[in-house]
Amino acid sequence: RKEVEQDPGPFNVPEGATVAFNCTYSNSASQSFFWYRQDCRKEPKLLMSVYSSGNEDGRFTAQLNRASQYISLLIRDSKLSDSATYLCVVNMNTGNQFYFGTGTSLTVIP
Amino acid sequence: EPEVTQTPSHQVTQMGQEVILRCVPISNHLYFYWYRQILGQKVEFLVSFYNNEISEKSEIFDDQFSVERPDGSNFTLKIRSTKLEDSAMYFCASRETENEKLFFGSGTQLSVL
């Protein structure tokens, strides 16, 4: 079983749409969770950390459901510049290793 | 804003040659990592380094790979005898404390011919 699983997409949505990505993780003792964004042939960049209480940063909302072992990312009012691959990242209980999902590809269409 | 710096940005080498990929982590960070990403595939963990020693490594990180922190600022990945399948983007990352976010360098694109 993969440590972190994501729907690879692709998701093609019109500008202004709301889109949601989910991610599941295998280790129930995982401690920290993140969403990264990766543009084509660039490095991953932190989008936001994910906290148990859920957190919001502008148009982006992240949720964590520990009981079901999944993480979600909601993007409201999609912009063309949101087109990228979104990576779910989990720090397993080993503490020092971060596991990446395969990423979900998003294209926002004019 | 402090950043992780990697050199070179591109490296082309012949199969069987040795390559050294260089990274300068953010100065107050304590944990260092190498990841790789084969074109079109996921980001894969290679190795983590803390307190001047390897703390974890993946099954990809076999005997042809080694890491070193030769001085107070550089963190290097050496591939001793490159294979065609080593062609990938190699990312260095660092973080300050446990469970804190990773910061990535812009990567070295390694092409093995």
Side-chain angles (χ1 to χ4, degrees):
Chain A
R1 182 180 173 182
K2 295 179 183 176
E3 293 89 0
V4 180
E5 293 201 57
Q6 291 182 253
D7 179 351
F11 285 68
N12 299 314
V13 302
E15 268 187 290
T18 295
V19 62
F21 307 134
N22 290 324
C23 165
T24 58
Y25 59 95
S26 60
N27 188 332
S28 60
S30 297
Q31 297 183 349
S32 52
F33 310 88
F34 308 90
W35 283 102
Y36 278 74
R37 169 196 170 124
Q38 187 176 30
D39 292 289
C40 188
R41 304 184 76 82
K42 299 285 189 181
E43 75 273 24
K45 291 188 176 177
L46 179 70
L47 182 63
M48 58 198 304
S49 303
V50 187
Y51 303 116
S52 297
S53 54
N55 48 300
E56 189 173 306
D57 182 3
R59 298 181 293 108
F60 299 85
T61 301
Q63 296 276 354
L64 167 63
N65 184 320
R66 284 192 183 270
S68 302
Q69 293 179 213
Y70 83 78
I71 308 147
S72 64
L73 176 68
L74 183 78
I75 305 175
R76 289 181 299 278
D77 189 22
S78 301
K79 311 289 185 194
L80 297 178
S81 57
D82 293 334
S83 298
T85 296
Y86 290 83
L87 306 173
C88 175
V89 181
V90 177
N91 181 292
M92 300 292 178
N93 197 36
T94 57
N96 207 21
Q97 190 173 148
F98 290 71
Y99 288 87
F100 283 71
T102 52
T104 299
S105 172
L106 172 67
T107 301
V108 181
I109 304 163
Chain B
E1 182 175 298
E3 58 182 25
V4 177
T5 306
Q6 287 187 245
T7 54
S9 56
H10 293 85
Q11 175 86 52
V12 180
T13 190
Q14 295 289 327
M15 191 169 58
Q17 295 296 304
E18 175 182 287
V19 295
I20 297 177
L21 310 183
R22 301 180 192 280
C23 170
V24 179
I26 295 173
S27 62
N28 63 334
H29 284 190
L30 303 176
Y31 298 82
F32 314 121
Y33 300 80
W34 283 102
Y35 284 83
R36 79 171 186 190
Q37 188 174 31
I38 295 169
L39 186 64
Q41 297 187 25
K42 66 186 284 185
V43 176
E44 297 176 292
F45 169 76
L46 292 178
V47 65
S48 59
F49 194 88
Y50 171 71
N51 201 25
N52 287 319
E53 60 182 21
I54 290 174
S55 49
E56 288 185 61
K57 59 183 180 179
S58 72
E59 57 200 28
I60 302 169
F61 194 87
D62 60 22
D63 291 344
Q64 68 164 330
F65 291 93
S66 62
V67 289
E68 205 174 40
R69 188 155 163 81
D71 53 43
S73 59
N74 290 285
F75 179 52
T76 62
L77 174 69
K78 182 191 290 186
I79 309 175
R80 260 179 278 283
S81 178
T82 50
K83 304 171 190 163
L84 294 176
E85 55 265 35
D86 293 328
S87 296
M89 179 74 88
Y90 287 80
F91 292 111
C92 175
S94 69
R95 65 185 173 95
E96 190 173 358
T97 59
E98 284 200 23
N99 300 326
E100 276 299 316
K101 51 204 173 196
L102 288 175
F103 290 87
F104 284 83
S106 56
T108 295
Q109 178 64 56
L110 176 66
S111 298
V112 182
L113 306 179

PDB file of all heavy atoms in Angstrom, chain B residues 59-71:
ATOM      1  N   GLU B  59      15.382   2.796  -0.168  1.00  0.00           N
ATOM      2  CA  GLU B  59      15.998   1.679  -0.888  1.00  0.00           C
ATOM      3  C   GLU B  59      16.655   2.141  -2.186  1.00  0.00           C
ATOM      4  O   GLU B  59      17.489   1.438  -2.746  1.00  0.00           O
ATOM      5  CB  GLU B  59      14.956   0.601  -1.165  1.00  0.00           C
ATOM      6  CG  GLU B  59      13.759   1.097  -1.953  1.00  0.00           C
ATOM      7  CD  GLU B  59      12.562   0.171  -1.799  1.00  0.00           C
ATOM      8  OE1 GLU B  59      12.453  -0.504  -0.760  1.00  0.00           O
ATOM      9  OE2 GLU B  59      11.743   0.128  -2.726  1.00  0.00           O
ATOM     10  N   ILE B  60      16.288   3.333  -2.649  1.00  0.00           N
ATOM     11  CA  ILE B  60      16.934   3.873  -3.851  1.00  0.00           C
ATOM     12  C   ILE B  60      18.387   4.236  -3.534  1.00  0.00           C
ATOM     13  O   ILE B  60      19.278   4.112  -4.370  1.00  0.00           O
ATOM     14  CB  ILE B  60      16.203   5.145  -4.337  1.00  0.00           C
ATOM     15  CG1 ILE B  60      14.742   4.851  -4.640  1.00  0.00           C
ATOM     16  CG2 ILE B  60      16.906   5.735  -5.549  1.00  0.00           C
ATOM     17  CD1 ILE B  60      13.920   6.097  -4.867  1.00  0.00           C
ATOM     18  N   PHE B  61      18.626   4.664  -2.331  1.00  0.00           N
ATOM     19  CA  PHE B  61      19.936   5.165  -1.904  1.00  0.00           C
ATOM     20  C   PHE B  61      20.846   3.976  -1.622  1.00  0.00           C
ATOM     21  O   PHE B  61      21.054   3.589  -0.460  1.00  0.00           O
ATOM     22  CB  PHE B  61      19.768   6.048  -0.668  1.00  0.00           C
ATOM     23  CG  PHE B  61      20.974   6.882  -0.325  1.00  0.00           C
ATOM     24  CD1 PHE B  61      21.146   8.125  -0.896  1.00  0.00           C
ATOM     25  CD2 PHE B  61      21.923   6.420   0.581  1.00  0.00           C
ATOM     26  CE1 PHE B  61      22.249   8.903  -0.570  1.00  0.00           C
ATOM     27  CE2 PHE B  61      23.025   7.182   0.905  1.00  0.00           C
ATOM     28  CZ  PHE B  61      23.190   8.429   0.325  1.00  0.00           C
ATOM     29  N   ASP B  62      21.374   3.390  -2.693  1.00  0.00           N
ATOM     30  CA  ASP B  62      22.231   2.219  -2.512  1.00  0.00           C
ATOM     31  C   ASP B  62      23.701   2.649  -2.450  1.00  0.00           C
ATOM     32  O   ASP B  62      24.002   3.833  -2.269  1.00  0.00           O
ATOM     33  CB  ASP B  62      21.975   1.217  -3.644  1.00  0.00           C
ATOM     34  CG  ASP B  62      22.270   1.796  -5.025  1.00  0.00           C
ATOM     35  OD1 ASP B  62      23.044   2.768  -5.123  1.00  0.00           O
ATOM     36  OD2 ASP B  62      21.709   1.271  -5.999  1.00  0.00           O
ATOM     37  N   ASP B  63      24.589   1.683  -2.608  1.00  0.00           N
ATOM     38  CA  ASP B  63      26.015   1.949  -2.375  1.00  0.00           C
ATOM     39  C   ASP B  63      26.635   2.932  -3.361  1.00  0.00           C
ATOM     40  O   ASP B  63      27.742   3.416  -3.129  1.00  0.00           O
ATOM     41  CB  ASP B  63      26.797   0.633  -2.411  1.00  0.00           C
ATOM     42  CG  ASP B  63      26.482  -0.242  -1.221  1.00  0.00           C
ATOM     43  OD1 ASP B  63      25.917   0.286  -0.240  1.00  0.00           O
ATOM     44  OD2 ASP B  63      26.785  -1.448  -1.274  1.00  0.00           O
ATOM     45  N   GLN B  64      25.982   3.196  -4.469  1.00  0.00           N
ATOM     46  CA  GLN B  64      26.557   4.142  -5.420  1.00  0.00           C
ATOM     47  C   GLN B  64      26.336   5.595  -4.977  1.00  0.00           C
ATOM     48  O   GLN B  64      26.930   6.512  -5.526  1.00  0.00           O
ATOM     49  CB  GLN B  64      25.979   3.936  -6.822  1.00  0.00           C
ATOM     50  CG  GLN B  64      24.528   4.300  -6.959  1.00  0.00           C
ATOM     51  CD  GLN B  64      24.085   4.465  -8.407  1.00  0.00           C
ATOM     52  OE1 GLN B  64      24.868   4.838  -9.269  1.00  0.00           O
ATOM     53  NE2 GLN B  64      22.827   4.173  -8.680  1.00  0.00           N
ATOM     54  N   PHE B  65      25.464   5.784  -3.978  1.00  0.00           N
ATOM     55  CA  PHE B  65      25.158   7.125  -3.502  1.00  0.00           C
ATOM     56  C   PHE B  65      25.888   7.396  -2.186  1.00  0.00           C
ATOM     57  O   PHE B  65      26.050   6.499  -1.352  1.00  0.00           O
ATOM     58  CB  PHE B  65      23.660   7.289  -3.251  1.00  0.00           C
ATOM     59  CG  PHE B  65      22.803   7.287  -4.479  1.00  0.00           C
ATOM     60  CD1 PHE B  65      22.239   6.113  -4.944  1.00  0.00           C
ATOM     61  CD2 PHE B  65      22.535   8.468  -5.164  1.00  0.00           C
ATOM     62  CE1 PHE B  65      21.439   6.104  -6.076  1.00  0.00           C
ATOM     63  CE2 PHE B  65      21.732   8.471  -6.288  1.00  0.00           C
ATOM     64  CZ  PHE B  65      21.179   7.292  -6.751  1.00  0.00           C
ATOM     65  N   SER B  66      26.278   8.628  -1.994  1.00  0.00           N
ATOM     66  CA  SER B  66      26.790   9.047  -0.691  1.00  0.00           C
ATOM     67  C   SER B  66      26.496  10.528  -0.504  1.00  0.00           C
ATOM     68  O   SER B  66      26.306  11.263  -1.471  1.00  0.00           O
ATOM     69  CB  SER B  66      28.291   8.776  -0.550  1.00  0.00           C
ATOM     70  OG  SER B  66      29.020   9.513  -1.508  1.00  0.00           O
ATOM     71  N   VAL B  67      26.425  10.941   0.751  1.00  0.00           N
ATOM     72  CA  VAL B  67      26.210  12.350   1.061  1.00  0.00           C
ATOM     73  C   VAL B  67      27.285  12.798   2.023  1.00  0.00           C
ATOM     74  O   VAL B  67      27.862  12.012   2.770  1.00  0.00           O
ATOM     75  CB  VAL B  67      24.814  12.627   1.678  1.00  0.00           C
ATOM     76  CG1 VAL B  67      23.722  12.463   0.644  1.00  0.00           C
ATOM     77  CG2 VAL B  67      24.569  11.756   2.902  1.00  0.00           C
ATOM     78  N   GLU B  68      27.523  14.104   1.984  1.00  0.00           N
ATOM     79  CA  GLU B  68      28.571  14.657   2.819  1.00  0.00           C
ATOM     80  C   GLU B  68      28.230  16.099   3.146  1.00  0.00           C
ATOM     81  O   GLU B  68      27.593  16.789   2.349  1.00  0.00           O
ATOM     82  CB  GLU B  68      29.899  14.614   2.041  1.00  0.00           C
ATOM     83  CG  GLU B  68      31.118  14.586   2.885  1.00  0.00           C
ATOM     84  CD  GLU B  68      32.377  14.409   2.049  1.00  0.00           C
ATOM     85  OE1 GLU B  68      32.471  15.004   0.960  1.00  0.00           O
ATOM     86  OE2 GLU B  68      33.260  13.683   2.511  1.00  0.00           O
ATOM     87  N   ARG B  69      28.660  16.509   4.327  1.00  0.00           N
ATOM     88  CA  ARG B  69      28.591  17.929   4.668  1.00  0.00           C
ATOM     89  C   ARG B  69      30.034  18.334   4.957  1.00  0.00           C
ATOM     90  O   ARG B  69      30.484  18.303   6.081  1.00  0.00           O
ATOM     91  CB  ARG B  69      27.689  18.116   5.877  1.00  0.00           C
ATOM     92  CG  ARG B  69      27.405  19.565   6.195  1.00  0.00           C
ATOM     93  CD  ARG B  69      26.091  19.671   6.951  1.00  0.00           C
ATOM     94  NE  ARG B  69      25.933  20.951   7.637  1.00  0.00           N
ATOM     95  CZ  ARG B  69      25.526  22.069   7.057  1.00  0.00           C
ATOM     96  NH1 ARG B  69      25.232  22.092   5.784  1.00  0.00           N
ATOM     97  NH2 ARG B  69      25.384  23.168   7.749  1.00  0.00           N
ATOM     98  N   PRO B  70      30.752  18.693   3.899  1.00  0.00           N
ATOM     99  CA  PRO B  70      32.206  18.888   4.029  1.00  0.00           C
ATOM    100  C   PRO B  70      32.597  20.106   4.857  1.00  0.00           C
ATOM    101  O   PRO B  70      33.701  20.155   5.385  1.00  0.00           O
ATOM    102  CB  PRO B  70      32.653  19.047   2.574  1.00  0.00           C
ATOM    103  CG  PRO B  70      31.449  19.502   1.836  1.00  0.00           C
ATOM    104  CD  PRO B  70      30.271  18.894   2.532  1.00  0.00           C
ATOM    105  N   ASP B  71      31.680  21.067   4.967  1.00  0.00           N
ATOM    106  CA  ASP B  71      31.972  22.248   5.783  1.00  0.00           C
ATOM    107  C   ASP B  71      30.671  22.705   6.423  1.00  0.00           C
ATOM    108  O   ASP B  71      29.684  21.982   6.382  1.00  0.00           O
ATOM    109  CB  ASP B  71      32.620  23.344   4.921  1.00  0.00           C
ATOM    110  CG  ASP B  71      31.786  23.642   3.685  1.00  0.00           C
ATOM    111  OD1 ASP B  71      30.550  23.731   3.807  1.00  0.00           O
ATOM    112  OD2 ASP B  71      32.362  23.757   2.594  1.00  0.00           O
TER     113      ASP B  71
END
